[in-house]
Amino acid sequence: MRSWLSGRKAKYESLALKVVAASFSKHGREDRDEQKLLLPHAKAIQDYVDRDNNFNLGELLYTIASYEFQAGRYDAAAKCCLGTYENHALFSGESNIDTLHSAGLLGVIQRHQGRYEEARWLLEDVLKHKESILGADDLDTIDTVCDISDVLEQQGHLEGSKVLAERALAARRSRLGDFDQKTLESQMHLALVLRKQAKYREAEMLSREVLERCGRTLPQGHQVTLKSAYALAEVLCESGQLDEAVTLSKIVVEGRKLLFSDHHPQTSLAITNLALGYTLKVELERAEQLYQEVCKSYDKCSRQNSPDTLQAHHNLAVVLRDQGKLDEAAHTARHILTCREQVLGPEDLSTMDTALDLAITLELLKSYAEAESLTLRVLAVLLN
Protein backbone atom coordinates (compact mmCIF):
# COMPACT_ATOMS: atom_id res chain seq x y z
CA MET A 1 0.00 0.00 0.00
CA ARG A 2 2.78 2.40 0.98
CA SER A 3 4.65 1.56 -2.24
CA TRP A 4 1.50 2.24 -4.27
CA LEU A 5 0.95 5.61 -2.56
CA SER A 6 4.59 6.53 -3.12
CA GLY A 7 4.22 5.77 -6.80
CA ARG A 8 1.05 7.88 -7.05
CA LYS A 9 2.77 10.75 -5.22
CA ALA A 10 5.70 10.69 -7.63
CA LYS A 11 3.29 10.66 -10.57
CA TYR A 12 1.42 13.74 -9.33
CA GLU A 13 4.65 15.55 -8.46
CA SER A 14 5.84 14.93 -12.01
CA LEU A 15 2.55 16.22 -13.41
CA ALA A 16 2.63 19.31 -11.19
CA LEU A 17 6.19 20.05 -12.28
CA LYS A 18 5.25 19.86 -15.95
CA VAL A 19 2.12 22.04 -15.58
CA VAL A 20 3.65 24.76 -13.38
CA ALA A 21 6.91 24.87 -15.35
CA ALA A 22 5.02 25.40 -18.60
CA SER A 23 2.67 28.03 -17.15
CA PHE A 24 5.35 29.91 -15.19
CA SER A 25 7.68 30.05 -18.21
CA LYS A 26 4.85 31.17 -20.51
CA HIS A 27 3.84 34.05 -18.27
CA GLY A 28 7.49 35.00 -17.82
CA ARG A 29 7.45 36.05 -21.46
CA GLU A 30 4.02 37.66 -21.45
CA ASP A 31 2.92 38.93 -18.04
CA ARG A 32 5.14 39.60 -15.04
CA ASP A 33 2.08 40.11 -12.77
CA GLU A 34 0.75 36.65 -13.62
CA GLN A 35 4.21 35.23 -13.04
CA LYS A 36 4.32 36.90 -9.63
CA LEU A 37 1.09 35.06 -8.68
CA LEU A 38 2.57 31.75 -9.83
CA LEU A 39 5.92 32.24 -8.06
CA PRO A 40 4.90 30.63 -4.71
CA HIS A 41 3.64 27.55 -6.58
CA ALA A 42 6.82 27.39 -8.64
CA LYS A 43 8.98 27.57 -5.51
CA ALA A 44 6.84 24.97 -3.75
CA ILE A 45 7.55 22.35 -6.40
CA GLN A 46 11.11 23.22 -7.39
CA ASP A 47 12.45 20.31 -5.30
CA TYR A 48 10.23 17.76 -7.04
CA VAL A 49 12.08 15.25 -9.19
CA ASP A 50 10.70 14.51 -12.65
CA ARG A 51 12.56 11.33 -13.50
CA ASP A 52 10.88 11.12 -16.91
CA ASN A 53 11.93 14.57 -18.06
CA ASN A 54 14.54 16.59 -16.16
CA PHE A 55 14.12 19.38 -18.71
CA ASN A 56 10.98 20.51 -16.84
CA LEU A 57 12.94 21.05 -13.62
CA GLY A 58 15.75 22.86 -15.42
CA GLU A 59 13.32 25.13 -17.26
CA LEU A 60 11.44 25.93 -14.07
CA LEU A 61 14.60 26.79 -12.12
CA TYR A 62 15.89 28.91 -15.00
CA THR A 63 12.65 30.90 -15.14
CA ILE A 64 12.54 31.41 -11.37
CA ALA A 65 16.15 32.62 -11.49
CA SER A 66 15.31 35.04 -14.31
CA TYR A 67 12.32 36.37 -12.36
CA GLU A 68 14.33 36.85 -9.16
CA PHE A 69 17.07 38.59 -11.15
CA GLN A 70 14.63 41.00 -12.80
CA ALA A 71 13.14 41.71 -9.37
CA GLY A 72 16.59 42.67 -8.08
CA ARG A 73 16.90 39.73 -5.67
CA TYR A 74 20.34 38.75 -6.89
CA ASP A 75 21.30 36.31 -4.13
CA ALA A 76 18.09 34.30 -4.56
CA ALA A 77 18.55 34.40 -8.34
CA ALA A 78 22.13 33.12 -8.09
CA LYS A 79 21.13 30.23 -5.85
CA CYS A 80 18.33 29.16 -8.17
CA CYS A 81 20.42 29.63 -11.31
CA LEU A 82 23.19 27.46 -9.89
CA GLY A 83 20.54 24.77 -9.48
CA THR A 84 19.43 24.92 -13.11
CA TYR A 85 23.06 25.00 -14.31
CA GLU A 86 23.91 21.89 -12.29
CA ASN A 87 20.72 20.16 -13.49
CA HIS A 88 21.44 20.82 -17.16
CA ALA A 89 25.13 19.98 -16.82
CA LEU A 90 24.35 16.66 -15.12
CA PHE A 91 21.71 15.45 -17.56
CA SER A 92 22.68 17.23 -20.81
CA GLY A 93 26.43 17.91 -20.54
CA GLU A 94 28.62 21.00 -20.16
CA SER A 95 28.38 21.91 -23.86
CA ASN A 96 24.59 21.62 -24.17
CA ILE A 97 23.01 24.92 -25.20
CA ASP A 98 20.62 24.92 -22.20
CA THR A 99 23.61 24.39 -19.91
CA LEU A 100 25.38 27.33 -21.57
CA HIS A 101 22.33 29.57 -21.23
CA SER A 102 22.12 28.71 -17.52
CA ALA A 103 25.83 29.40 -17.06
CA GLY A 104 25.48 32.67 -18.96
CA LEU A 105 22.61 33.84 -16.75
CA LEU A 106 24.59 32.88 -13.64
CA GLY A 107 27.52 34.97 -14.91
CA VAL A 108 25.27 38.00 -15.45
CA ILE A 109 23.80 37.62 -11.96
CA GLN A 110 27.28 37.36 -10.45
CA ARG A 111 28.24 40.59 -12.23
CA HIS A 112 25.30 42.34 -10.51
CA GLN A 113 26.39 40.85 -7.19
CA GLY A 114 29.81 42.44 -7.70
CA ARG A 115 31.50 39.04 -8.12
CA TYR A 116 33.30 40.26 -11.22
CA GLU A 117 36.16 37.77 -11.45
CA GLU A 118 33.84 34.77 -11.08
CA ALA A 119 31.46 36.26 -13.64
CA ARG A 120 34.25 36.91 -16.11
CA TRP A 121 35.67 33.38 -15.80
CA LEU A 122 32.25 31.78 -16.27
CA LEU A 123 31.19 33.98 -19.19
CA GLU A 124 34.48 33.55 -21.03
CA ASP A 125 34.03 29.78 -20.77
CA VAL A 126 30.47 30.12 -22.12
CA LEU A 127 31.76 32.25 -25.00
CA LYS A 128 34.38 29.66 -25.93
CA HIS A 129 31.73 26.94 -26.17
CA LYS A 130 29.24 29.12 -28.05
CA GLU A 131 31.83 30.17 -30.63
CA SER A 132 32.67 26.52 -31.18
CA ILE A 133 29.06 25.32 -31.42
CA LEU A 134 27.15 28.29 -32.86
CA GLY A 135 29.86 30.37 -34.53
CA ALA A 136 31.54 33.67 -33.65
CA ASP A 137 28.85 35.85 -35.28
CA ASP A 138 25.76 34.03 -34.03
CA LEU A 139 23.48 36.42 -32.14
CA ASP A 140 23.40 34.10 -29.14
CA THR A 141 27.20 34.21 -29.07
CA ILE A 142 27.10 37.99 -29.36
CA ASP A 143 24.86 38.20 -26.29
CA THR A 144 27.70 36.66 -24.28
CA VAL A 145 30.22 39.02 -25.89
CA CYS A 146 28.10 41.91 -24.55
CA ASP A 147 27.96 40.38 -21.08
CA ILE A 148 31.75 40.00 -20.92
CA SER A 149 32.21 43.58 -22.13
CA ASP A 150 29.98 44.73 -19.28
CA VAL A 151 32.03 42.82 -16.70
CA LEU A 152 35.31 44.19 -18.07
CA GLU A 153 33.91 47.73 -17.86
CA GLN A 154 33.02 47.17 -14.20
CA GLN A 155 36.54 45.88 -13.55
CA GLY A 156 38.10 48.93 -15.22
CA HIS A 157 39.52 46.99 -18.20
CA LEU A 158 38.19 49.64 -20.54
CA GLU A 159 40.11 48.91 -23.72
CA GLY A 160 39.16 45.24 -23.65
CA SER A 161 35.57 46.20 -22.91
CA LYS A 162 35.55 48.65 -25.83
CA VAL A 163 36.85 46.05 -28.29
CA LEU A 164 34.08 43.63 -27.34
CA ALA A 165 31.42 46.37 -27.32
CA GLU A 166 32.40 47.40 -30.85
CA ARG A 167 32.32 43.75 -31.99
CA ALA A 168 28.82 43.30 -30.58
CA LEU A 169 27.53 46.57 -32.04
CA ALA A 170 28.85 45.72 -35.52
CA ALA A 171 27.28 42.25 -35.44
CA ARG A 172 23.90 43.47 -34.20
CA ARG A 173 23.77 46.33 -36.68
CA SER A 174 24.53 43.95 -39.51
CA ARG A 175 21.98 41.32 -38.46
CA LEU A 176 19.26 43.33 -36.71
CA GLY A 177 19.50 46.90 -38.03
CA ASP A 178 20.10 50.24 -36.31
CA PHE A 179 16.77 50.43 -34.48
CA ASP A 180 16.55 46.99 -32.91
CA GLN A 181 16.47 46.99 -29.11
CA LYS A 182 19.64 44.91 -28.80
CA THR A 183 21.51 47.18 -31.21
CA LEU A 184 20.49 50.18 -29.13
CA GLU A 185 21.68 48.42 -25.97
CA SER A 186 25.08 47.76 -27.58
CA GLN A 187 25.37 51.36 -28.72
CA MET A 188 24.48 52.57 -25.23
CA HIS A 189 27.05 50.30 -23.62
CA LEU A 190 29.76 51.57 -25.95
CA ALA A 191 28.85 55.11 -24.88
CA LEU A 192 29.28 54.09 -21.22
CA VAL A 193 32.76 52.74 -21.95
CA LEU A 194 33.73 55.89 -23.83
CA ARG A 195 32.59 57.99 -20.86
CA LYS A 196 34.83 56.01 -18.52
CA GLN A 197 37.69 56.56 -20.97
CA ALA A 198 37.01 60.32 -20.58
CA LYS A 199 35.96 60.60 -24.25
CA TYR A 200 33.03 62.76 -23.23
CA ARG A 201 32.21 64.33 -26.57
CA GLU A 202 32.00 60.96 -28.35
CA ALA A 203 30.06 59.46 -25.46
CA GLU A 204 27.55 62.32 -25.41
CA MET A 205 26.93 62.18 -29.17
CA LEU A 206 26.41 58.42 -29.05
CA SER A 207 24.15 58.63 -25.99
CA ARG A 208 21.95 61.32 -27.53
CA GLU A 209 21.62 59.29 -30.73
CA VAL A 210 20.56 56.19 -28.76
CA LEU A 211 18.04 58.12 -26.68
CA GLU A 212 16.52 59.72 -29.79
CA ARG A 213 16.17 56.31 -31.48
CA CYS A 214 14.63 54.81 -28.33
CA GLY A 215 12.05 57.59 -28.35
CA ARG A 216 11.13 56.72 -31.94
CA THR A 217 10.94 52.94 -31.59
CA LEU A 218 10.19 51.98 -27.95
CA PRO A 219 7.24 52.72 -25.64
CA GLN A 220 7.57 55.56 -23.13
CA GLY A 221 9.14 54.30 -19.91
CA HIS A 222 10.73 51.27 -21.58
CA GLN A 223 13.69 49.81 -19.70
CA VAL A 224 16.16 50.47 -22.54
CA THR A 225 14.95 54.08 -22.90
CA LEU A 226 15.50 54.65 -19.18
CA LYS A 227 18.96 53.05 -19.35
CA SER A 228 19.83 55.35 -22.25
CA ALA A 229 18.66 58.42 -20.34
CA TYR A 230 20.68 57.23 -17.33
CA ALA A 231 23.80 56.84 -19.49
CA LEU A 232 23.39 60.30 -21.00
CA ALA A 233 22.89 61.84 -17.54
CA GLU A 234 26.20 60.32 -16.44
CA VAL A 235 28.00 61.85 -19.41
CA LEU A 236 26.38 65.23 -18.80
CA CYS A 237 27.51 65.18 -15.16
CA GLU A 238 31.08 64.53 -16.29
CA SER A 239 30.98 67.38 -18.81
CA GLY A 240 29.39 69.89 -16.42
CA GLN A 241 25.95 70.08 -18.03
CA LEU A 242 24.34 69.68 -14.64
CA ASP A 243 20.85 71.10 -15.12
CA GLU A 244 20.07 68.71 -17.99
CA ALA A 245 21.74 65.87 -16.10
CA VAL A 246 19.52 66.40 -13.05
CA THR A 247 16.38 66.68 -15.21
CA LEU A 248 17.17 63.40 -16.96
CA SER A 249 18.05 61.68 -13.70
CA LYS A 250 14.69 62.65 -12.19
CA ILE A 251 12.92 61.11 -15.20
CA VAL A 252 14.92 57.89 -14.78
CA VAL A 253 14.18 57.68 -11.04
CA GLU A 254 10.43 58.07 -11.53
CA GLY A 255 10.43 55.71 -14.51
CA ARG A 256 12.27 52.97 -12.64
CA LYS A 257 10.03 53.31 -9.61
CA LEU A 258 7.07 52.60 -11.88
CA LEU A 259 8.84 49.88 -13.86
CA PHE A 260 10.46 48.09 -10.92
CA SER A 261 9.83 49.41 -7.38
CA ASP A 262 11.07 52.09 -5.00
CA HIS A 263 13.73 49.76 -3.53
CA HIS A 264 14.88 47.90 -6.64
CA PRO A 265 18.68 48.05 -7.15
CA GLN A 266 18.22 49.76 -10.55
CA THR A 267 16.06 52.45 -8.91
CA SER A 268 18.73 52.94 -6.25
CA LEU A 269 21.38 53.40 -8.95
CA ALA A 270 19.23 56.07 -10.58
CA ILE A 271 18.79 57.88 -7.24
CA THR A 272 22.56 57.73 -6.70
CA ASN A 273 23.06 59.33 -10.11
CA LEU A 274 20.58 62.08 -9.22
CA ALA A 275 22.36 62.67 -5.90
CA LEU A 276 25.66 63.02 -7.77
CA GLY A 277 24.10 65.72 -9.95
CA TYR A 278 22.99 67.64 -6.88
CA THR A 279 26.45 67.18 -5.32
CA LEU A 280 28.12 68.74 -8.35
CA LYS A 281 25.56 71.57 -8.27
CA VAL A 282 26.61 72.06 -4.62
CA GLU A 283 23.07 71.38 -3.42
CA LEU A 284 24.48 69.26 -0.64
CA GLU A 285 21.43 68.91 1.62
CA ARG A 286 19.43 67.42 -1.27
CA ALA A 287 22.32 65.15 -2.16
CA GLU A 288 22.68 63.93 1.44
CA GLN A 289 18.95 63.21 1.69
CA LEU A 290 19.06 61.10 -1.49
CA TYR A 291 22.18 59.19 -0.44
CA GLN A 292 20.60 58.43 2.95
CA GLU A 293 17.53 57.14 1.10
CA VAL A 294 19.63 54.91 -1.14
CA CYS A 295 21.67 53.47 1.73
CA LYS A 296 18.49 52.58 3.65
CA SER A 297 17.05 51.01 0.50
CA TYR A 298 20.14 48.84 0.00
CA ASP A 299 19.98 47.76 3.64
CA LYS A 300 16.37 46.65 3.18
CA CYS A 301 17.44 44.53 0.21
CA SER A 302 20.27 42.92 2.24
CA ARG A 303 22.88 44.31 -0.16
CA GLN A 304 25.07 46.02 2.45
CA ASN A 305 28.37 44.87 0.91
CA SER A 306 27.58 45.16 -2.79
CA PRO A 307 29.85 47.52 -4.78
CA ASP A 308 26.89 49.85 -5.49
CA THR A 309 26.02 50.05 -1.78
CA LEU A 310 29.60 50.79 -0.80
CA GLN A 311 29.84 53.51 -3.46
CA ALA A 312 26.66 55.16 -2.19
CA HIS A 313 28.02 55.19 1.40
CA HIS A 314 31.35 56.52 0.12
CA ASN A 315 29.58 59.37 -1.67
CA LEU A 316 27.54 60.08 1.46
CA ALA A 317 30.74 60.42 3.50
CA VAL A 318 32.09 62.98 1.01
CA VAL A 319 28.86 65.01 1.09
CA LEU A 320 28.86 64.97 4.91
CA ARG A 321 32.46 66.21 4.92
CA ASP A 322 31.68 68.98 2.44
CA GLN A 323 28.89 70.16 4.75
CA GLY A 324 31.28 70.27 7.71
CA LYS A 325 29.81 67.19 9.42
CA LEU A 326 33.30 65.84 9.97
CA ASP A 327 32.77 63.33 12.77
CA GLU A 328 29.87 61.68 10.95
CA ALA A 329 31.84 61.74 7.69
CA ALA A 330 34.87 60.09 9.31
CA HIS A 331 32.72 57.41 10.96
CA THR A 332 31.04 56.56 7.64
CA ALA A 333 34.31 56.57 5.71
CA ARG A 334 36.01 54.28 8.25
CA HIS A 335 33.17 51.78 7.95
CA ILE A 336 33.30 51.83 4.13
CA LEU A 337 37.09 51.50 4.10
CA THR A 338 36.84 48.34 6.24
CA CYS A 339 34.10 46.93 4.01
CA ARG A 340 35.97 47.67 0.78
CA GLU A 341 39.14 46.12 2.17
CA GLN A 342 37.19 42.94 2.93
CA VAL A 343 35.09 42.83 -0.26
CA LEU A 344 37.41 44.32 -2.90
CA GLY A 345 40.84 43.97 -1.34
CA PRO A 346 43.20 46.41 0.42
CA GLU A 347 44.83 47.60 -2.83
CA ASP A 348 41.72 47.96 -5.00
CA LEU A 349 41.39 51.45 -6.51
CA SER A 350 37.96 51.95 -4.92
CA THR A 351 39.47 51.06 -1.54
CA MET A 352 42.24 53.58 -2.15
CA ASP A 353 39.65 56.20 -3.11
CA THR A 354 37.93 55.78 0.25
CA ALA A 355 41.27 55.79 2.11
CA LEU A 356 42.26 59.07 0.48
CA ASP A 357 38.92 60.74 1.21
CA LEU A 358 39.14 59.56 4.83
CA ALA A 359 42.64 61.04 5.02
CA ILE A 360 41.29 64.42 3.86
CA THR A 361 38.54 64.28 6.50
CA LEU A 362 41.02 63.32 9.23
CA GLU A 363 43.26 66.23 8.28
CA LEU A 364 40.30 68.59 8.69
CA LEU A 365 39.74 66.99 12.11
CA LYS A 366 43.43 67.69 12.85
CA SER A 367 44.23 63.97 13.16
CA TYR A 368 47.41 64.61 11.20
CA ALA A 369 49.35 61.45 12.00
CA GLU A 370 46.57 59.09 10.90
CA ALA A 371 45.86 61.23 7.84
CA GLU A 372 49.52 61.08 6.81
CA SER A 373 49.65 57.32 7.35
CA LEU A 374 46.63 56.77 5.08
CA THR A 375 48.02 59.10 2.42
CA LEU A 376 51.37 57.30 2.36
CA ARG A 377 49.54 53.96 2.10
CA VAL A 378 47.63 55.19 -0.96
CA LEU A 379 50.77 56.57 -2.61
CA ALA A 380 52.61 53.29 -2.03
CA VAL A 381 49.87 51.38 -3.86
CA LEU A 382 49.51 53.86 -6.71
CA LEU A 383 53.25 54.16 -7.33
CA ASN A 384 53.94 50.44 -7.07
Side-chain angles (χ1 to χ4, degrees), residues 7 19 96 113 160 201 207 213 244 264-265 285 297:
V19 171
N96 178 270
Q113 290 179 300
R201 184 177 178 82
S207 297
R213 287 178 174 175
E244 188 180 358
H264 192 283
E285 287 186 9
S297 180

Side-chain angles (χ1 to χ4, degrees), residues 332-344 351 354:
T332 302
R334 285 185 195 280
H335 172 68
I336 297 309
L337 179 59
T338 300
C339 289
R340 280 186 158 170
E341 286 172 339
Q342 294 172 348
V343 175
L344 303 174
T351 305
T354 299

Side-chain angles (χ1 to χ4, degrees), residues 1-126:
M1 181 68 173
R2 185 173 298 173
S3 175
W4 180 82
L5 287 173
S6 177
R8 299 285 290 181
K9 180 175 180 288
K11 177 182 177 181
Y12 286 122
E13 284 183 352
S14 178
L15 179 60
L17 186 56
K18 290 177 182 177
V19 171
V20 176
S23 183
F24 192 71
S25 300
K26 170 180 176 289
H27 286 298
R29 292 187 293 269
E30 297 174 358
D31 192 333
R32 302 294 292 181
D33 291 333
E34 287 292 332
Q35 194 181 45
K36 184 177 181 179
L37 294 174
L38 287 167
L39 183 63
H41 303 284
K43 287 186 173 181
I45 67 166
Q46 64 180 326
D47 293 328
Y48 289 178
V49 177
D50 181 2
R51 292 181 175 85
D52 296 326
N53 188 356
N54 285 285
F55 175 78
N56 288 320
L57 178 60
E59 182 181 24
L60 179 65
L61 291 173
Y62 183 90
T63 311
I64 294 174
S66 298
Y67 179 87
E68 297 283 28
F69 172 64
Q70 291 296 328
R73 295 188 286 268
Y74 300 141
D75 291 342
K79 181 180 179 181
C80 201
C81 196
L82 182 60
T84 188
Y85 169 67
E86 291 174 343
N87 177 272
H88 283 307
L90 178 62
F91 292 101
S92 303
E94 292 284 350
S95 298
N96 178 270
I97 195 64
D98 292 318
T99 306
L100 295 175
H101 285 159
S102 298
L105 177 59
L106 181 57
V108 171
I109 294 168
Q110 288 174 337
R111 169 259 181 267
H112 282 81
Q113 290 179 300
R115 297 159 61 185
Y116 301 130
E117 199 58 39
E118 293 174 74
R120 179 180 174 181
W121 179 88
L122 189 56
L123 289 168
E124 286 179 343
D125 188 60
V126 171

Side-chain angles (χ1 to χ4, degrees), residues 278-290:
Y278 281 127
T279 301
L280 295 172
K281 284 168 66 70
V282 202
E283 297 183 26
L284 300 180
E285 287 186 9
R286 282 189 178 185
E288 180 189 346
Q289 181 182 4
L290 290 170

